[in-house]
Amino acid sequence: SYTRLSKVTGLSDIGATCIKFNNYNNTLVIGYSDGNVDLVENNTVINVADIKNKAITSSKTINSIYFINQYAYLACGFGIVVFDTQQQTIADTYYIGTNGTYLNVRDITSDGKNIYAATDNGIYEAPLNSPNLADYNNWTRKTIEVGGLTLPTGIYNTIASINGKVFANFSKHITNNAWMQDTVYESANGGATWSVFTGSTNINKIESSNNHLLMCAQYAV
């Protein structure tokens, strides 16, 4: 059997853009297009409207969610918000664009050493143990040579890690409406080297689960 969750049954909003369950503390996190966030714990909905109510002259859309223990790293239209799901409060906010400006972050992952952000301006990397990730100077856009070329600048719509490797999709279908020309890049050695993993398809989402790498393409998984 199933139960439908909606505003009628307790959710705070409509227009959910992402949803993810945190096994660390059995909390479901729902992000919305207007920046609103709902937590669902033991069938109780807790609304956190801090992002929605914040004065930001940029998109507040919650694009994706990545967990490290109780912390939910929210990839937002303006940057990254670190949300403590146990304290139910915002722990930090990272504006990682040039000179600390807004930058649309579409996805986040970590290989245990670094944290990576897939953005509209490439892949950004920062040491996970950095004491001040809120300082944009600690974030570096990856431009490592790949077969004599550099990683292309543009929209990377999804990123995931597994077994110490990172996989990120350069989305030509979003960048310039090119059909079936996306390229998935694979990194090793803590992001020091990158190579082409696969290409010639549209990749909508990459996830790691149960020691498998899952790629959601246009017509297949």
Side-chain angles (χ1 to χ4, degrees), residues 103-181:
L103 179 61
N104 186 23
V105 178
R106 294 178 179 261
D107 206 3
I108 299 166
T109 194
S110 173
D111 59 5
K113 176 182 177 182
N114 299 311
I115 183 170
Y116 301 85
T119 80
D120 281 4
N121 190 39
I123 302 169
Y124 283 71
E125 172 195 274
L128 191 60
N129 62 359
S130 172
N132 187 18
L133 287 177
D135 183 354
Y136 68 91
N137 290 299
N138 290 319
W139 291 82
T140 303
R141 185 169 63 85
K142 302 302 292 181
T143 57
I144 303 297
E145 289 189 355
V146 182
L149 302 174
T150 59
L151 282 173
T153 300
I155 296 174
Y156 289 76
N157 65 326
T158 181
I159 193 167
S161 61
I162 187 170
N163 298 329
K165 295 184 177 181
V166 177
F167 297 82
N169 182 59
F170 177 62
S171 179
K172 283 190 177 179
H173 75 275
I174 297 178
T175 299
N176 55 21
N177 203 30
W179 184 249
M180 304 297 281
Q181 294 183 32

Side-chain angles (χ1 to χ4, degrees), residues 49-76:
D50 298 50
I51 301 173
K52 177 181 178 180
N53 295 333
K54 190 172 180 62
I56 295 176
T57 57
S58 181
S59 169
K60 299 179 183 179
T61 300
I62 312 296
N63 294 312
S64 66
I65 304 164
Y66 181 75
F67 292 115
I68 299 179
N69 298 328
Q70 79 265 29
Y71 295 102
Y73 288 74
L74 308 179
C76 303

